[in-house]
Amino acid sequence: MKNYVTNFNRSSILHKMPIDTINGLFLQNMINKANLTKGSLRNLKSFWANIWDFAMLNDLCSKKNYPKLLKLPSIERGNKTSLRERIISNKELEILWNNLYKDKRKIVDIVLILCYTGLRISELLKVNRKNIYLKDYYFEIEASKSK
């Protein structure tokens, strides 16, 4: 639902325009000028395509589904988190390791698992006990957002 609200707000210029007056060139210009990452642009394009599908289904417009024809820019833009902002330094990892057994709430061990596996928090929380193999030093992930 949050994506719909975000993409609706990003499309504010279209709110008062009748859908049958919006053409592909206008939408392509919006895509080209948007300072968004490719993933965000893909979501916006999909959002628009769903609106056009609904409009055509309900005879609100008779035109092609222009959003499906839009081309995303080949150059990455937007406020994507850079690797420098994501990587935990060796010094920070050392601080975590030094505090591993001092932490009574067992948060440091979770953070270390996340650091070394690259898992998302939600993925780690979904790990079942049956998928943990302590003797072999690994665990299995049943479902992941990325492949």
Side-chain angles (χ1 to χ4, degrees):
M1 188 64 174
K2 184 179 177 187
N3 279 339
Y4 286 108
V5 172
T6 300
N7 287 315
F8 179 79
N9 292 334
R10 286 179 176 155
S11 307
S12 61
I13 195 168
L14 304 175
H15 291 178
K16 296 191 183 216
M17 295 175 70
I19 196 163
D20 61 342
T21 65
I22 302 170
N23 62 31
L25 185 60
F26 186 81
L27 293 175
Q28 188 65 58
N29 280 333
M30 285 184 66
I31 289 283
N32 293 343
K33 291 178 183 176
N35 187 28
L36 299 171
T37 62
K38 276 190 180 179
S40 295
L41 289 173
R42 222 177 354 263
N43 287 339
L44 183 60
K45 179 181 167 180
S46 175
F47 174 76
W48 288 345
N50 288 336
I51 290 173
W52 256 259
D53 284 340
F54 177 83
M56 290 180 349
L57 184 67
N58 291 287
D59 295 325
L60 299 172
C61 70
S62 59
K63 296 181 179 180
K64 293 180 180 178
N65 190 327
Y66 290 120
K68 289 183 179 178
L69 304 172
L70 298 176
K71 302 290 182 211
L72 299 178
S74 58
I75 299 170
E76 185 69 61
R77 294 187 304 228
N79 297 323
K80 190 169 187 161
T81 306
S82 72
L83 289 177
R84 283 181 282 114
E85 295 168 343
R86 289 183 166 189
I87 294 176
I88 293 179
S89 70
N90 288 336
K91 187 175 183 176
E92 291 167 324
L93 281 173
E94 185 179 339
I95 291 168
L96 287 170
W97 279 110
N98 290 339
N99 289 290
L100 179 62
Y101 298 109
K102 298 174 187 173
D103 179 27
K104 293 179 179 150
R105 296 181 298 162
K106 302 291 183 197
I107 294 173
V108 173
D109 53 352
I110 293 171
V111 173
L112 285 168
I113 290 170
L114 294 171
C115 289
Y116 284 98
T117 62
L119 288 173
R120 295 173 175 85
I121 293 171
S122 60
E123 293 168 337
L124 182 61
L125 294 174
K126 290 178 185 174
V127 173
N128 293 318
R129 283 186 176 171
K130 67 178 182 168
N131 294 337
I132 299 173
Y133 304 95
L134 291 176
K135 289 181 183 178
D136 298 319
Y137 302 105
Y138 78 95
F139 56 90
E140 293 177 343
I141 309 300
E142 288 183 0
S144 176
K145 189 174 179 181
S146 59
K147 308 236 180 229

